[in-house]
Amino acid sequence: MLSLIVFLPLGAAAVLAVLPAIPDRAARWTWVAVALADLALVGVVLAGYESPAEGGLAYEERLRWIPSVGSSYHVGVDGLSLPLVALTAVVFLACAVYALREDRRPRVQAALFLFLQSVCLGVFVAQDLILFFLFFDLSIVGMYFVIAGWGHGNAARSALKFFLYTFLGSLALLLGFIGLYLAAEPHTFDIPELVAAAPLADNPGVGGLVLAAILLGLAIKTPTVPFHTWLPPAHTDAPAIGSAVLAAVLLKLGTYGFVRIAMPALPDAWQAWAWVLITIGVVSVVYGALVALAQTDVKRMIAYTSVNHMGYVVLGVGAAGLVGSAAAREVAVTGAVTQMVSHGLITGALFLLAGVLQERAGTYEMAEYGGLAEPAPRYAALFAVAAFASLGLPAFTGFIAEFQIFAGSIGTTAAAALALPGILITAALFLRALQRLLTGPPQGRAVGFADVGVREGLPIGGLLALALLFGIIPWPLLDLITPGAETVVDLVSR
Amino acid sequence: MTGATGSSDLGVALLWVVVGLPAVVGAVLCLAGRRADRPAPAAAVVTASLALVAAIAVAVLRPETAVPFLPGADFGLAVDALSAIVVPTVVAVTLLVLLSSAAEIDDRPARFSGLMLLFAAAVGVTATATTLPALLFAWEVMGATSFALIGYWWREPDRVSAGTDAFLTTRAADLGLYLAAGAALAGGGSLVLADLPAVAAPWRDVVAAGVLVAGLGKAAQLPFSFWLSRAMQGPSPVSALLHSAAMVAMGGYLLLRTSELLASTGWAATTAAWVGALTALALGAVAVAQRDLKQLLAASTAAQLGYVVLAAGVAGVSGGVAHLVAHASTKALLFLAAGAWLTALGTKQLPALRGAARRGPLVGGTAAVGTLALAGVPPLSLWATKDEVLAVAREQSVALYVVGLAAAAVSAAYAGKVLWVVWRALPADAESGYDTEEEGTRRVHRLQKAPLVVLAAGAAVLGLLVWPPVGEALRQALGEAGASRPGVLELVVSAVLAVAVVLAVARWPLPEPGWAARWLGLGAATEVVAVRPVLRLAEALARFDDRVLDRAVDAAAGLVPRGAGAAARADDRVLDRAVDASAPGTVRTARLTAEIDDVGFDGAVRGVAAGARRLGALARRSQTGQLHHYYVQAAVVLAAALALLLVVTR
Amino acid sequence: MTGDIVFWVLAALAVAAGVAVFSVNSMARATYALAISFVAVGLTLLLFDLQFLGVITVLMMVMEMAIMAIYMIMFMGMNPALMPMSMKHGKGAAMTIAVGTFLVLAAGALFVPWPARRGTPAPDLTVALGEAIMESKMLVMMTVSPVLFATIVAALVLAAPSGRYDRLGDDLRRRSAPARQPEGADR
Amino acid sequence: MTLQTVLLVAAALFSVGLYGAISQQVVVMVMMGLELMLNGVVLAAVGFWWFLSPAPEGQVLVLVVITAMTVEMAMGFAVATLLHRSRNADMTDMAADLSR
Amino acid sequence: MRPLALLPEICLLVGAVVTLLAGSFLPRERQWVARLITVAALLAAGVSAAVALGGPPRTAMMTTFAVDTGTGILRLVVVAATLLVIGLGVDELAGTKRESETYTLLLLGALGALVMGGTIDLLVLIVGFLLGSIPLYGLIGMVRTPQAAEGVLKTYLLGALFGIVLMLGVTVLYGIGGATAYADLTVGLAGAPAAAVAFGLLGVLAGLLFKAGGVPGHFWVPDATQSAGTTAAAFLTTVPKVGALLAAHRLMTIVPGSVDWPLLVAVLAAVTMTLGNLAAFAQTDVRRLLGWSTVSQVGYLLLPVAVAGGTTAALASLLVYLGGYAVTNLTAFAVVAAVPGRRSVEDYAGLAASSPWLGAALVVSLLSLVGTPPTAVFLGKLSVFTAAWDGGLAWLVVVAAVNTVASLFYYLRWLAPAFRREEPTEPARRPAPYATAAAVLGGIGVLTLGLLVAGIAPMLGTVLVAP
């Protein structure tokens, strides 16, 4: 079942890629249909999902792959990965609908995005390090072509930078994986086996180095300060749906790696290094928010808020490594995973909204707009809702996540309170942005700005509606995540 | 579903009606946009009416409920003695304000009504929340809707930024609640409000501090008061609801709710009491100095909330809630009156409003009731409720009592100022002062008049909440049966003081010192102490980010010099433009930072880049094309390898 | 004793002739000097009872030097006897490296504690060589044959400017070769 | 006549050949330097064979080295011819287009 | 003796002779018959190699040639690589004057690589070196351009020098070890003086590094790659390396522990990969870029050689990498061969748009050279890194990883223009059909090796068990 979910888009992508005769219109609708089908399959999985026993997996599949290096095709989901799988399916569907207006090589674009969808799903279901790395690296490749092929501005350069930087991260990750593999006896790349074995527990030096390599890899992908500088140019020059996917799904690959691999497999090193993570988290939160505050370019601003939001996640998972009340740490990890989903929904919507600006008026500079609420009330409403959702307003998932992260991590260490100003600064920057873009008399390029239509409004509104739904009724989501978070906290406390 | 107290299902259902119905209708109205403009006011009023009925019912039924929300922390709602009073009051004021605004707001009424209803729902949840997540949920939604309502006339940038200020200031204080949640989790694991006093020792202080900051921020107490001044940019009905009965009041209400927690720490209660008393005094002085009616009322709100906070600090909850409710009615009345004059006369400047009361006796009369109540003139409500608070305060500290009494005198002064101005004889050239702020209609709609009457009645009689038998019952319910009551002497002293000051104000003009007129310079201080440094830091960091961090990566990767150079130039251009657009001082600071960057970090980074480039060239330089060079190099490498093998032996 | 003297004479001759290769002022003389050096080493082999290999060395090297002389005259069109030359580059570096190499090798020769001799030479060395070639090291000689084959093919490909199709036409039916085509672009 | 002396002579031949290979410009002269180096190798091989391990492999080694010498020489002539024909050059310095 | 154990080698030799003979009598336009003979010989060699693959490890021709899994996979890789070279070269070679000679030399060069990689006797190694080198000279000089002449000159002179160094090394090892067969040398070298062992080892290793194209014997690689014909360039950057590196691995297993050879090889590996990458940065000619890229790849390939004695996984990882590298590199060259008009990186602008299949093959091959999953070289890099780390050279793995990132830069510099939308300035010529097919086939091979290595994995398991 999981394999079907993962490879259905890939198969469709292959068909789209090799058949140049497919008309553009058919390609666009094929994309939507496949994304919809995949989402339906994910829905089936969700419906049939029952939290597995401690440390177990649901929908597990395991096939021989590379037995000589202890690697197998092993997939499965649990409370940590299933929400992200669902998020991926939702975000890609939203992008597919949004891209119905695309007229630049839609067939290739559809193929590329379906390919990306496959690899992103693959990362989230992979239970083998090599499989994980395979999908992880391919996501970089796919995104490179998305930015280079459909971007604007200095797209080639940004794409190159993105590729180089994240590739550096992925190699560091690979080194870490090799270290784990060699430390486990017998050697294996299988994640559950590694988690069970917790290699390097008695070798803090090597354990620290291996964790450092994995952290570096994941931190670049996440990204955290100071490894974030690839993000703003990549976002600025990427197409709207590219940015949405990049922010909503690809960044999660990094943070997901924390909870899936780094924490359970290296509990001792994680505990020893928890303070580093908390520091990185706090700095990312505050730094990301402050730098975002100073931006004049909407998309760059949103990009930096991603640094801020991912900082919350790092803070939450870092706190889990400390000695403290288990309840608080569970809350922190649950919050961190919730934040991944939440950020995916909300920031995805925000980037699509930013994309509308670029399409209509060709610039993201806030100074070029003003009073958009007059000509484009629907756009203004969506933007305002998304902004408030992103700044962590209750009734949206962001609040659920951030409240839990803060309650949990402050409950573990008071130092986490240093990140609190992040919430305030984020609020300030979004309100400033709202003010500059939407309010006041219409001016600059806002004059004659066409309001969003159904094909733009539907995906954006859909993402926000989900954020709202799970913001008001969070327990279905949290019931999914909490057992997984408990397991992770148990494992990391070994 | 239901709590252990066995409250009826009907009660629970009605409680959900109180908070849910306005939320749903409000959301629908907001989403519906212009299509709902026509039916919106009526729908809102009907909704509020239904909610009011339900609110009164739940005040009697006292239901308790919880639904799953976060793990370990349900979304708990309950009506207890405190909220049984506050919830109906808020809903009632909401209804009245909506009625009034039906006549006043003609620009997109659907959105306005929707936001008001959403706000009311949030207040309902805030008042009944039993867990921290639920409280914070509603608390922040209140903040956000207040932003939207203050900035309702979004075409005018000033009003929107006033909303921003309000939201940001209150949110800064809200961080206290996040902190409190974390500390509660660390110190005991329960996020239920009632359990907070039982949190383990060091964490309990953190919880108390967090709650205190959050309460003070929303209640516009010192040092957060200035946001309330900015918030007056919003429409008058908004001020009437948010800045009298609901949002600001909720700050005080939260502290009343958690007075046990405050008291348990030993220091938080005292702090609250003194902040409240000093706010009452200082903001009273600010009110005295105002010439803008709404500004005066705003400062007065903060000052009056000071008594509530004082009450929370001294554990005089019954007096505090009575003052809260009475003040809500009074201040809503005055704001609506101010709004009525604004729409009719186009001004809210006191000098221009001279004799305004004489143009319409109903507005003038109700306003007089309001101002007299505000002044603390017996037998109107605030006279008694205030003394109720002060009596408890005197038990603890005479100094508090004295400050409170002084504040009462000040409140009589500003109330008198308003009273005398509007009831003076209408000057002949009155028209010349009108229409300075908007085009006046010269008439007051009857939908605007009706609520005034109700509210005036409330302002007059809500003092009953402290008098027997209602007062006794209230104290009983709140477990304060033995609390000290004001003696006759105290009542007489405050009554005499109030009347004397009001009369004196009629005779002698009041001083209007600049420091008070500028709201103690709080806004400017915040600008200097917090906003500007943060912005400057943000600019500097952004520059750092582009110049150093980013370029480090560029340099490492950018072995193609052209690309890197072009990008760097682009960076500079974009950045310079960005910086030029901001304040000149910021520019200088940022430039300085950047220079440090250039010399320090960036120099090093460039060195690395140049080194890498040189290495690349060096690597290729070995490939000279001259064969004998290859021979020489091969020989040298082999010799080195041999040396390595011979030197490093195992 | 006689062997020693002969060895030293031959050794001196070999080295001196070797030095002469790069110090005489014409290529022809250099060729002769190289031939002398080889002959000296080949004769040295005889001192070690390696008649077969010694003779082969002498014969092959004399032949090779003759070919070299012919090559220079025929193909490169120069008269080696008449062309004085001093065509060197980087003499300093070359000398440094050569001297360094010699020092390293000599130091190795002198200071390495060479192990003791194991075994004795076979009674008939040539037979032993023949047996080794035909038995234990047969693969060596089996591989040498494709090496020679490859050498012929590769050398012809490189050296011959025109192939059979130039001479005999694309269908190999022409009887006479056409005029030579310019070099460089014929493929 | 000891192993050391034989090796010293071989080293001398090898080094002289190396000097020539590096310092000569004309291709054929470079080849002569290489030949001289091989000459040294042959001598060293014989020395080792005689003094250390007089197994038949030693003889085969000498034979292989001589074969290699011839074969390389043949290829050298071919290459020199090609160079002469296609570039009209006989010196290595004149063929230095490919660099960096 | 077991000459039949050398059936694949014999097939190649016979094929070479028959090809040359047949070619001598074929009209110019009908040399495809010679090509068929060559392909048949290769296929026969491949089949016989595959048949022999499952057998137990043994030696052939007394103790001079190992017929084990290493040789078996070497044969398959070499045969497959040579077939791919011929496939990508058909467009370039068909109907040229020396087509059949080229095939002959390709067969002989492949035979040389097999002999080098399979032998366990130093004498055969020398002859194998010659057999591997001499056809290369002929192949490089085949196009007879001035550049090619220069390329062949440098290759030849460097080859001669390193051949001499190799023979010197063999001489010394023989002298102190008393034998040339590896089995006897292991015993003989055990108590030998370390300095002499080091000297001899270095000499032999230097010779092998010339064949492999590693520092210090790398100078010829970029020059020859740039100047030779595409077919020859593809061959010389692939097949000889395969043989030489396996030979290096075999050599390392006989060196006693008195010499710290792992460190030497590790340093050489680090220098080689770094130099190759740094030098490739600024290249604009794609052939030269590929030449330098192969130098850097040799650096990675030296990793398992450095830990040849330290971990059992070394050989398996080397073979995996070699196979992956061969297919990948040839795929890249196939793309180059398919569009002979495009020489510089910028010339590739718009390639993906005009021929998407070639674009895809280019992506696959370059990403594989980078080491991105799921390609063949990724698997190679993974196993090589693992083996090196396991063998105690974690620092070298880090160096290799950093180098990998650096290499991405120049591969992308080639890839980026190829995927740029650009209006062709001149009407695009149709890409060469055979080379395109070879490129696509190679690309599929790269992915297949990367994804479905499970099929050959059991065999690698036996390598692990019986080294």
Side-chain angles (χ1 to χ4, degrees), chain B residues 396-595:
Chain B
Q396 296 196 0
S397 156
V398 178
L400 270 180
Y401 176 75
V402 173
V403 172
L405 207 57
V410 175
S411 64
Y414 61 69
K417 178 176 173 177
V418 176
L419 183 67
W420 296 132
V421 165
V422 298
W423 276 102
R424 287 260 160 83
L426 197 63
D429 61 344
E431 289 285 333
S432 67
Y434 295 165
D435 302 335
T436 51
E437 289 166 64
E438 56 182 70
E439 204 60 42
T441 56
R442 297 294 181 279
R443 55 180 290 274
V444 177
H445 198 276
R446 80 194 130 80
L447 277 178
Q448 285 175 291
K449 286 178 184 164
L452 294 178
V453 177
V454 180
L455 289 168
V461 305
L462 277 172
L464 288 175
L465 282 171
V466 300
W467 300 116
V470 181
E472 280 308 320
L474 181 62
R475 277 189 289 278
Q476 203 79 42
L478 290 170
E480 292 182 342
S484 40
R485 308 265 354 262
V488 176
L489 180 66
E490 288 166 42
L491 286 169
V492 170
V493 166
S494 80
V496 170
L497 195 63
V499 173
V501 171
V502 169
L503 291 175
V505 168
R507 174 71 184 79
W508 294 287
L510 284 164
E512 292 175 358
W515 54 268
R518 287 191 301 275
W519 284 68
L520 309 177
L522 285 173
T526 313
E527 181 77 16
V528 171
V529 173
V531 177
R532 237 181 274 165
V534 167
L535 285 179
R536 214 173 284 175
L537 179 66
E539 302 269 1
L541 284 179
R543 209 176 165 84
F544 170 80
D545 203 70
D546 281 7
R547 283 236 166 177
V548 180
L549 285 185
D550 196 31
R551 199 159 319 157
V553 180
D554 280 350
L559 287 155
V560 185
R562 238 174 339 127
R569 278 195 300 281
D571 272 6
D572 288 348
R573 269 205 300 280
V574 172
L575 263 168
D576 283 345
R577 208 187 310 147
V579 171
D580 288 345
S582 59
T586 315
V587 177
R588 225 170 295 131
T589 323
R591 289 240 166 93
L592 189 67
T593 325
E595 268 165 38

Side-chain angles (χ1 to χ4, degrees), chain B residues 93-293:
Chain B
V93 174
T94 309
L95 175 61
L96 295 172
V97 168
L98 280 173
L99 269 178
S100 171
S101 64
E104 195 173 336
I105 304 291
D106 45 7
D107 177 28
R108 308 275 179 91
R111 185 154 53 87
F112 182 82
S113 316
L115 287 170
M116 290 290 268
L117 286 175
L118 275 180
F119 174 81
V123 175
V125 175
T126 309
T128 54
T130 57
T131 60
L132 262 179
L135 174 71
L136 189 49
F137 187 103
W139 193 257
E140 294 251 65
V141 172
M142 267 192 331
T145 41
S146 81
F147 162 80
L149 285 169
I150 294 170
Y152 184 73
W153 288 312
W154 49 262
R155 282 181 189 77
E156 294 159 57
D158 213 31
R159 300 191 195 263
V160 181
S161 63
T164 306
D165 281 2
F167 183 50
L168 289 182
T169 314
T170 53
R171 196 168 210 225
D174 296 352
L175 298 184
L177 280 183
Y178 284 94
L179 188 65
L185 215 52
S190 168
L191 292 177
V192 176
L193 284 177
D195 295 345
L196 291 183
V199 168
W203 292 112
R204 189 178 56 197
D205 297 294
V206 180
V207 175
V211 170
L212 185 60
V213 169
L216 294 181
K218 274 275 197 284
Q221 300 298 290
L222 289 173
F224 301 102
S225 312
F226 66 91
W227 72 262
L228 199 52
S229 159
R230 299 277 284 137
M232 292 303 117
Q233 300 271 0
S236 296
V238 170
S239 302
L241 180 61
L242 273 64
H243 309 126
S244 63
M247 190 165 95
V248 180
M250 279 304 124
Y253 173 80
L254 174 68
L255 295 178
L256 287 177
R257 275 219 98 150
T258 55
S259 65
E260 198 183 334
L261 168 72
L262 300 179
S264 68
T265 62
W267 56 269
T270 320
T271 311
W274 275 103
V275 170
L278 289 175
T279 307
L281 187 61
L283 271 296
V286 169
V288 168
Q290 300 305 316
R291 291 184 169 187
D292 179 310
L293 179 56

Side-chain angles (χ1 to χ4, degrees), chain A residues 157 161 165 228-229 287 290 294 300 304 374 388 391-395 403 407 411 423-424 431 435 439-440 475 478, chain B residues 68-70 136-137 140 144 147 154-155 160-161 164 167-168 171 182 186 537-538 544-546 549-550 553-554 567:
Chain A
R157 214 185 102 75
K161 184 169 181 176
Y165 211 146
H228 63 281
T229 51
Y287 185 92
L290 277 174
R300 273 178 82 86
Y304 276 109
E374 177 85 53
F388 273 101
L391 63 80
L393 189 73
F403 177 80
I423 298 188
L424 186 62
L431 293 188
Q435 222 169 307
T439 67
W475 53 265
L478 296 178
Chain B
F69 189 53
L70 300 181
L136 189 49
F137 187 103
E140 294 251 65
F147 162 80
W154 49 262
R155 282 181 189 77
V160 181
S161 63
T164 306
F167 183 50
L168 289 182
R171 196 168 210 225
L537 179 66
F544 170 80
D545 203 70
D546 281 7
L549 285 185
D550 196 31
V553 180
D554 280 350

